[in-house]
Amino acid sequence: MHRRIIAPGTLAAASLLLAIPASAASYTPGAPGIGDPYYPSYGNGGYDVSHYDLRLQYQPKTDELQGTATIQARTTQDLSSFDLDFLLDVSEVRVNGAKAAFTTSDQHELVVTPKTPLAKGTPVTIVVRYSGVPSAKSAYGFTSWHRTPDGGVAANEPEAAWWWFPSNDHPTDKATYDVSVAVPDGTQAISNGTLQSTSSKLGWTRYNWRQNKPQATYLATLALGRFDITTGTSDGGVPVVNAYSKDLGDNDGAARASVERTGELVDWLSGYFGPYPFSSAGGYVPNTTTGYALETQGRVYYSPRQFANGSNTSVVVHELAHQWYGDYVSVKGWKDIWINEGFARYAQWLWSEHEGEGTAQELADYVYASHPADDAFWTVKPGDPGPDEQFSGAVYDRGALAIQALRNEIGDDAFFAVLKGWPKEHAYGNASVADFQRYAEQVSGKPLSALFDTWLFQPSKPAAPAVRALVKTGTPVARPKSWKKIEATNDVHGH
């Protein structure tokens, strides 16, 4: 161990320097974006959030939402001002107890100027009082707030928070949540995590939800309406909460036949990915007109259209797989979306294999053969698809092909060790495609750069490997029995 000798008086001088405030020139505004090239204005610089406490009141007849958000954060630079991503109307902002000036900028930026500048490393409590009609707000020509006949729902990717709470809206700034919502008696409020308590007063019922594990902002969800709620526990001990709008009509039975298998499927996926990482599991099916499902953490959002043609456990497998690949370990940047969607799609292939409806290899053969070399499918690069193709079917299907190619290259023992070890390696954090490649190389002991480049980054159809081959171009391949259900999940997550 190297020991440094400190001259007499040095410690006292250092303490004096630390006590001197930084010069005014060192305090600068936090960046209005976190630095993601796909979405330059999403997220914000200058601080990290650790907890959101949201106290809300919602009137379903008018879609009016009132709220007070208390945000616990810590500065990462000397801040003269900072941004929050938000759309509703703000009446007051306080920073560390003092009223702060605020204004709006761009399409979704709330710019806050504290009464006193904030030094780097300072704990900060931010209180924002607000109200508005979320369904009346849009940004960039879309909304992430879905009005329903009896209420509303916040669920979208890559952004949903702006319509119901101010936030640092990027997956790299995860936080825990307390969400308390008052609604008229007879209406229910559903959010992430576990229901801590309910109380009633003067015709209103308040629901108090807690998410005690780090959660990305787009994975926070809120559903307000009239639901039939079921509860239970999986054989593995995971609490399960599911909810269904009372007016789903013809889709009700198929939705229940699918989503009520959540506990069984969580336990099954745990065999591949490791212990379930959150305090509860479940899903909800509101009466919305959207087509997609979304892996909102521990409380998956499903459009009723996912069950319009009958039950579909495959889509439930897809969204539950995201609890490990996407939620437990989230992307470092949105270009890393393959880690979310490729592995969730591959989980569907594993479920197909489990159900005897087509092996993962047979599905890979079918996908490979279904797209000729001149198909635009092959021009999408799953490892960096670009914002316009982020939720392209190629990210899902070519992404799963890449995973099967990896399995063939490193063998089942190493492959399944990677599947289970990866979530634990980056538990409750963020990681990139490059991180995943390094981890797979570490576990398998094989160089994999050529394989990853071929399957994830080249805008062309890879040649069929000679060993355990994906079929050669033009070879007829029978469609696996599971394909219709897998294909039915192809409604993208986006707007």
Side-chain angles (χ1 to χ4, degrees):
M1 181 179 69
H2 176 71
R3 186 176 182 183
R4 186 173 65 172
I5 305 299
I6 300 176
T10 302
L11 288 176
S15 298
L16 182 61
L17 286 171
L18 289 172
I20 297 173
S23 68
S26 73
Y27 291 95
T28 56
I34 211 164
D36 192 316
Y38 278 25
Y39 303 98
S41 65
Y42 287 23
N44 305 287
Y47 64 95
D48 286 323
V49 177
S50 59
H51 185 71
Y52 293 95
D53 182 279
L54 309 176
R55 190 169 179 85
L56 311 173
Q57 181 171 307
Y58 178 74
Q59 176 52 260
K61 290 182 180 179
T62 60
D63 197 41
E64 184 175 3
L65 181 70
Q66 297 180 352
T68 300
T70 303
I71 303 168
Q72 300 295 326
R74 183 175 292 273
T75 56
T76 58
Q77 69 177 69
D78 293 334
L79 278 178
S80 58
S81 66
F82 59 89
D83 286 23
L84 293 162
D85 299 297
F86 197 45
L87 284 175
L88 298 187
D89 302 321
V90 174
S91 59
E92 182 181 75
V93 180
R94 288 180 178 267
V95 177
N96 290 341
K99 281 190 176 182
F102 62 91
T103 187
T104 57
S105 176
D106 196 18
Q107 297 199 48
H108 66 280
E109 299 286 339
L110 175 67
V111 184
V112 178
T113 303
K115 184 177 181 180
T116 303
L118 304 169
K120 180 179 179 179
T122 301
V124 184
T125 299
I126 306 158
V127 178
V128 182
R129 299 185 189 277
Y130 57 92
S131 62
V133 177
S135 59
K137 299 290 185 179
S138 66
Y140 307 108
F142 67 88
T143 179
S144 295
W145 183 268
H146 315 302
R147 192 77 163 102
T148 63
D150 54 10
V153 172
N156 203 357
E157 182 182 15
E159 64 293 282
W162 312 344
W163 283 262
W164 66 289
F165 69 98
S167 69
N168 190 16
D169 191 29
H170 192 271
T172 51
D173 195 359
K174 294 183 175 183
T176 54
Y177 287 73
D178 282 306
V179 178
S180 176
V181 191
V183 289
D185 290 346
T187 298
Q188 291 129 316
I190 295 168
S191 192
N192 311 83
T194 56
L195 184 63
Q196 302 293 297
S197 63
T198 61
S199 60
S200 293
K201 184 178 181 180
L202 301 176
W204 292 79
T205 301
R206 182 167 288 279
Y207 293 80
N208 299 298
W209 292 89
R210 170 164 288 181
Q211 174 58 272
N212 65 353
K213 297 298 183 183
Q215 175 176 276
T217 44
Y218 85 95
L219 298 172
T221 194
L222 182 64
L224 307 151
R226 295 177 181 270
F227 294 95
D228 180 20
I229 298 175
T230 67
T231 60
T233 305
S234 78
D235 287 346
V238 177
V240 179
V241 179
N242 297 320
Y244 310 88
S245 281
K246 293 185 176 182
D247 55 355
L248 288 179
D250 293 343
N251 294 331
D252 183 81
R256 291 171 187 265
S258 308
V259 179
E260 286 301 302
R261 296 184 68 179
T262 292
E264 170 198 352
L265 296 174
V266 162
D267 288 348
W268 178 77
L269 285 164
S270 296
Y272 288 102
F273 300 149
Y276 182 72
F278 304 120
S279 60
S280 70
Y284 70 97
V285 189
N287 188 9
T288 66
T289 59
T290 62
Y292 57 85
L294 182 64
E295 64 269 21
T296 40
Q297 189 163 304
R299 194 77 61 246
V300 173
Y301 165 82
Y302 298 97
S303 162
R305 280 171 49 191
Q306 289 288 334
F307 312 106
N309 295 315
S311 63
N312 190 349
T313 54
S314 188
V315 69
V316 180
V317 167
H318 182 103
E319 301 306 333
L320 291 177
H322 276 310
Q323 305 306 303
W324 288 266
Y325 282 79
D327 297 7
Y328 191 24
V329 182
S330 301
V331 297
K332 275 186 179 176
W334 282 110
K335 71 176 183 178
D336 299 309
I337 192 66
W338 169 73
I339 296 179
N340 293 13
E341 301 304 345
F343 285 87
R345 174 64 93 230
Y346 196 78
Q348 294 176 269
W349 292 11
L350 292 173
W351 177 246
S352 170
E353 194 166 294
H354 174 77
E355 293 290 277
E357 296 185 344
T359 67
Q361 185 65 59
E362 288 168 344
L363 283 157
D365 291 347
Y366 179 74
V367 170
Y368 186 88
S370 297
H371 298 279
D374 59 355
D375 192 326
F377 176 89
W378 299 109
T379 67
V380 176
K381 299 178 290 184
D384 189 1
D388 292 339
E389 299 289 354
Q390 184 180 347
F391 300 109
S392 162
V395 173
Y396 295 65
D397 291 333
R398 185 179 175 184
L401 275 175
I403 296 167
Q404 182 64 26
L406 173 66
R407 180 179 178 179
N408 291 345
E409 176 69 20
I410 67 177
D412 278 5
D413 288 348
F415 176 75
F416 288 113
V418 168
L419 276 195
K420 186 172 287 188
W422 170 258
K424 185 177 179 181
E425 180 78 5
H426 295 279
Y428 305 111
N430 302 78
S432 67
V433 173
D435 293 329
F436 184 86
Q437 179 186 320
R438 283 191 290 269
Y439 183 74
E441 289 175 333
Q442 174 190 327
V443 172
S444 68
K446 290 190 172 185
L448 297 171
S449 60
L451 182 140
F452 275 76
D453 181 63
T454 297
W455 288 97
L456 295 182
F457 295 101
Q458 291 302 315
S460 57
K461 185 172 184 174
V467 181
R468 297 187 66 186
L470 294 168
V471 295
K472 294 181 179 179
T473 304
T475 304
V477 176
R479 187 179 75 176
K481 185 178 178 181
S482 61
W483 182 252
K484 188 174 180 181
K485 293 295 186 182
I486 293 171
E487 192 176 36
T489 67
N490 280 349
D491 277 311
V492 299
H493 287 160
H495 322 132

